[in-house]
Every structure is written in structure tokens, then in C-alpha cells.
Amino acid sequence: NAGVTQTPKFQVLKTGQSMTLQCAQDMNHNSMYWYRQDPGMGLRLIYYSASEGTTDKGEVPNGYNVSRLNKREFSLRLESAAPSQTSVYFCASSTGGVSYEQYFGPGTRLTVT
Amino acid sequence: QKEVEQDPGPLSVPEGAIVSLNCTYSNSAFQYFMWYRQYSRKGPELLMYTYSSGNKEDGRFTAQVDKSSKYISLFIRDSQPSDSATYLCAGVNTDKLIFGTGTRLQVFP
């Protein structure tokens, strides 16, 4: 099992450009999450999907959109990137319900210039 | 005030030392507490979890929650250089994790 995979691993964008971060899991998990990690701020939840077909905002959703394409895949889109979105982005998944055991992907390092 | 507070460190200790990593929290609704370990340039991985009060031991690791003082601790016995990582505590509120900022631990030989 690959677990949680993310693409790309690294990306550099110019301000105003758009891009989609891809995430897939092969553990048949119901819930999926997108976080960003910044120095001094820890991990902050951007959006999550408790089950296929549903998405909800987390702590810092502004400037992002998500799509739960199917049970396996959960994508994060930046429509018009800003330097404040420079961060490391992590996707995670869990069985759902009691979500304490979240499995994280390796992360995407995004720089917006 | 952040719901989960954690000293960022770094904490530097010699091999074999007992390490104490600590968090405080403000949300009384947290049902569980988690400790994640994150190696440099990797995703976090679950280390341990505990319910809202009491201790849990797993090998060299012990997680402790003091609900009365809203204090969470992770103890590492006989620390090893391979324990060098960032340790993240988190509280679980319904279906979401609220993370602290993480404490960077360095164990030198």
C-alpha cells in the first residue's frame, strides 16, 4: 500500500497563477483533510471531507477550493496564488468517525513569488 | 489564545536522557489527545493517543493528560538520536484535530 500520496512534491508559482494540488489514498478511508504548515503556526486545517460528496471549511479556507473527486482522491485548488500561500501543504486521511488516527502524505512545498 | 500551546524549542538533550515534552490546552471539549512525530521534510506520523485523562505507555514513550490543569505531556525514556524530530500535540474536538506548533527535539550522541 502506498498510503497517502501527494503531487507535486515542489512547486513555484508567480502571484496570480493557479494550480491544483492532488492527493490520493489507497486505504479505503472515508475522511480526507488538507492542512498547511507554517513556521510558528503549526498545522492548520484548510478544508476537510468527512465522506465522499461532502466538503467543509476548516480554520483557514480563504483563497482555496477543494474537490472530493471520489473516495480515493481529494484535490486542493489555488485560483489566484498569493505570497501568503507560500507554505507546506499536507493531505491526510482517516477512517472517519473518531478521526484521531490521521495518516499524512509527504507534503507539497509551495512557493509563491 | 490558541487552543493548544506548545513550546517550539529546540530542546537539545544527550543520548540516554529522559525527555519531557509538554502542551497546554484551553478547550475543555477535547475528547482525546494525540502525539505526532514529524521528521524533517516528512509528513507527521501518529505516535500515541490518550483519552481525556490518565496515562498511556508504549515502549519508551509515555503520554500523560492532566485534565484539571489542562496539561499534556509526552515522556521519552532512554532517548536516542533517532528520536530527533518535531513532536506535535493535538486535541480532538468532534471530527477535527487542533494542533500545537510542535517542539523540535535534538538528541545528540
Side-chain angles (χ1 to χ4, degrees), chain A residues 12-17 81-83 86 111-113:
Chain A
V12 179
L13 289 179
K14 288 185 168 37
T15 297
Q17 287 185 317
T86 294
T111 302
V112 183
T113 61

Side-chain angles (χ1 to χ4, degrees), chain A residues 73-94:
Chain A
E73 298 171 290
F74 189 37
S75 63
L76 179 72
R77 183 157 178 86
L78 287 70
E79 290 292 351
S80 178
S84 61
Q85 294 178 305
T86 294
S87 189
V88 182
Y89 291 86
F90 289 101
C91 178
S93 71
S94 73

Side-chain angles (χ1 to χ4, degrees), chain A residues 10 33 35 37 40-43 45 48 50 57-59 90 97-107 109, chain B residues 2 8 32 34 36 38 40-46 49 51 86 88 92-102:
Chain A
F10 303 94
Y33 310 82
Y35 293 89
Q37 188 174 37
M41 301 296 291
L43 279 162
L45 183 65
Y48 68 104
K57 294 178 181 178
E59 183 185 353
F90 289 101
V98 179
S99 66
Y100 51 85
E101 195 159 1
Q102 292 186 14
Y103 295 82
F104 284 80
R109 290 182 176 274
Chain B
K2 286 178 70 69
Y32 303 88
M34 324 290 292
Y36 280 79
Q38 185 176 21
S40 182
R41 296 187 172 262
K42 301 286 187 187
E45 55 180 350
L46 180 64
Y49 72 90
Y51 294 102
T86 296
L88 302 153
V92 179
N93 188 4
T94 56
D95 57 353
K96 290 192 281 294
L97 297 183
I98 309 297
F99 284 90
T101 53

Side-chain angles (χ1 to χ4, degrees), chain A residues 18-110:
Chain A
S18 62
M19 79 161 295
T20 299
L21 281 64
Q22 306 285 356
C23 174
Q25 53 90 8
D26 62 2
M27 295 175 282
N28 200 33
H29 283 168
N30 293 313
S31 300
M32 298 185 73
Y33 310 82
W34 276 105
Y35 293 89
R36 59 179 289 174
Q37 188 174 37
D38 303 290
M41 301 296 291
L43 279 162
R44 292 181 293 169
L45 183 65
I46 305 171
Y47 270 94
Y48 68 104
S49 171
S51 61
E52 189 178 351
T54 68
T55 60
D56 284 288
K57 294 178 181 178
E59 183 185 353
V60 288
N62 290 347
Y64 305 95
N65 285 303
V66 291
S67 295
R68 183 76 182 266
L69 303 168
N70 48 55
K71 193 171 185 180
R72 289 187 64 246
E73 298 171 290
F74 189 37
S75 63
L76 179 72
R77 183 157 178 86
L78 287 70
E79 290 292 351
S80 178
S84 61
Q85 294 178 305
T86 294
S87 189
V88 182
Y89 291 86
F90 289 101
C91 178
S93 71
S94 73
T95 54
V98 179
S99 66
Y100 51 85
E101 195 159 1
Q102 292 186 14
Y103 295 82
F104 284 80
T108 294
R109 290 182 176 274
L110 175 67

